[in-house]
Amino acid sequence: MRILVGAKRVVDANVKVRVKADNSNVDIEHSKMSLNPFDENAIEEASKLKEAGIATEIIAVSIGNAKCIDTLRTALARGCDRAILVETNEVIEPLFVAKIFKEIVLKEKPDLILLGKQAIDDDANQVGQMLAGMLDYPQSTFISSLEIIDGKIRTVREIDNGTETLEVTLPAVLTADLYLNEPRFIKLPQLMLAKKKIIETIQLTDLNIEQRPTTRLLKAVDGEIKKKCTFIDSVDELVDILKVNKVI
Amino acid sequence: MKILVITPKIENSINTNLLHVFDAVTQLSGKCDVLVLGYQLDDLANQIAKYKVVTQVLKLDNVALEHILVENIAKQIAEITKKYTHVLVAADSFGKNLLPRVAGILELGQISEVSKIISPNIYQKFIYAGNVLIEVESVEDIKLLTIRTSNFMENTQLSETSALITTIEYTNAISDKIKFVTNKVEEKAVDLSSAKVVVTGGRSLGSADAFDSHIRALAKHLSAGVGATRAAVEAGYVHNDCQVGQTGKVVAPNVYLAFGVSGAVQHIAGMKDSRTVIAVNIDQTAPIFEHANYGMVADLFEVIPQLLHALHK
Ligand SMILES: Cc1cc2nc3c(=O)[nH]c(=O)nc-3n(C[C@H](O)[C@H](O)[C@H](O)COP(=O)(O)OP(=O)(O)OC[C@H]3O[C@@H](n4cnc5c(N)ncnc54)[C@H](O)[C@@H]3O)c2cc1C
Ligand SMILES: Nc1ncnc2c1ncn2[C@@H]1O[C@H](COP(=O)(O)O)[C@@H](O)[C@H]1O
């Protein structure tokens, strides 16, 4: 089984993102960047399948600027065998990320495409489903477990009031929830090994993809609203607050 | 403007998420068609037809949709979608799974988790775990929107006359590439997403037993939904579907009670629109207090038993 995984470079989860003074966009130029946490889960699961002798090759894909090479090195250290950078300095919307993935799928013909359920910057939660729709592949999204049974993949999905178990036939698209696994800690030898692995760079302009904006960003403002906290000392006061708010 | 709202049959009654989407319809223009999907829909279609915002109910009723798999419905929905300018669905696990697939088939952009309608083509939504609020314009001919229900009211206005119910023939091929195996429903006394009061516990509860005897016990007393931080879910105190936050549920109850919650941005993203927030944390510098109306610097293992005792009186 050959697996294609997504490796998006995003602002680190611990960074508090601020907007530019003119409210035109976010200000992330000097922010610490990381591999999207959900992609870590996807890569971890692919690596486990390889260790179990089920997967034969894991290919990581990142779409973005030249700095995504760092992100791909991390993906390689986490167990991917080779990587593809689709280089562009533009911000690519999920629809076109999916189209780019489609092109790569047609070229690489993986059996399984394992993406994160969402990127923690745009919080879109779209690419996997869009790609599955474009390829007419089955999809299982927000998965928290995966098992191979008779060549099919049995997945448990996290849904609103519990879980749903689906069996998908390959080729398929899966998207990882954070509960899929616990990404391993990478050590120096793996990082050293990753330096020897191959990263192929494709210019986005060399792919035959017609891009158009589907949205226009009009304004970005600080989304954090702080409240004025009144401190109380006793449970009696707490009971009073619950009464005033008609909880009891 | 022609608006379509899509809703699945989950139970035989109206899903409250649909009522929140109706509010978004009202903000857009006022009227919509509702496409209801599932098996044995007569009852549900009749209930939906009574709402004032509904002009027509499209009933797609087939045994193949008893458990809805997007592979068995997305292509047909993509075709139906072409007759509309706006397609709205709640940003719940059904909507998030379906609408981007439809968008992929149509090669159209999609906007996730709309929190406010500014104009027919301009919307507000959060990005970066709620750190940033943006106004975004869709330039697509068909706007495909998932609606963050907690930012919209429930529109329960009924009409004196029922809307027309039209049966749509099921034409989508059934995929042999995917099979529904089973589902597991976590029984809940109160639905978290629509709860008026939410009681949330964090990592510091220490065990599933302590979570039950403190957080769940208090929630039961207050008829509240049970929430949890990711740390509490990861520690195994409670199931994932109780997680509140960037990657869990977004809630906006009248009262949100947070016990032993530090207030990480990813958690705040899921509860910051709550009207009144009450936080109990042993650490006076915990960020949660910056997002609380009332704070108590105290040990939750002392506060909750005392509170339960006071409520028993
Ligand atoms: C990509 C990503 C997505 C995430 N998504 C989510 C999400 O959706 N939801 C979410 O919640 N988190 C999410 N997180 C995790 C988040 O960053 C925090 O780690 C998490 O919210 C912390 O949970 P906590 O407050 O229970 O634990 P901690 O941060 O460990 O805080 C425990 C708190 O309990 C207090 N405390 C300890 N003992 C007591 C006591 N006896 N009485 C009272 N207070 C006490 C402490 O002072 C402390 O403030 C995400 C993280 C990432 C990277
Ligand atoms: N620029 C990108 N490069 C690589 N993978 C991406 C990119 N954008 C999105 N993805 C993949 O798609 C998933 C979902 O992203 P989104 O739909 O944007 O929330 C991510 O977790 C990645 O696996």
Side-chain angles (χ1 to χ4, degrees), chain A residues 1-3 45-56 111-114 143 145-156 165-172 174 180, chain B residues 181:
Chain A
M1 184 193 295
R2 295 171 61 247
I3 307 178
E45 202 62 21
S47 300
K48 279 164 68 180
L49 288 173
K50 193 164 177 215
E51 284 158 4
I54 295 165
T56 51
D111 303 287
L112 183 63
I113 301 133
L114 199 48
I143 64 166
S145 94
L146 169 166
E147 201 184 347
I148 314 282
I149 299 175
D150 297 334
K152 294 190 175 160
I153 300 198
R154 188 168 283 215
T155 59
V156 177
T165 306
L166 299 179
E167 197 176 87
V168 298
T169 303
L170 299 175
L174 308 181
L180 183 56
Chain B
V181 180

Side-chain angles (χ1 to χ4, degrees), chain A residues 227, chain B residues 150-151 196 198 244 250-257 268 270-278 291 293:
Chain A
K227 293 188 170 184
Chain B
S150 60
N151 288 101
K196 300 277 176 277
V198 171
V244 171
V250 180
V251 299
N254 290 337
V255 178
Y256 190 87
L257 290 120
I268 302 298
M271 48 65 74
K272 65 172 158 193
D273 291 316
S274 306
R275 207 172 66 199
T276 301
V277 175
I278 305 168
H291 302 274
N293 302 77

Side-chain angles (χ1 to χ4, degrees), chain A residues 13-14 36-38 120 178, chain B residues 201-205 228-232 243-249 259-268 280-283 286-288 298-301:
Chain A
N14 297 313
N36 185 37
F38 292 88
I120 61 161
L178 292 173
Chain B
R203 188 200 309 269
S204 51
L205 268 301
T229 64
R230 179 178 168 212
Q243 182 180 315
V244 171
Q246 179 189 19
T247 51
K249 291 208 168 79
F259 292 94
V261 172
S262 60
V265 283
Q266 292 90 357
H267 185 79
I268 302 298
V280 176
N281 194 305
I282 208 156
D283 174 9
I288 187 73
D299 185 341
L300 72 92
F301 292 107

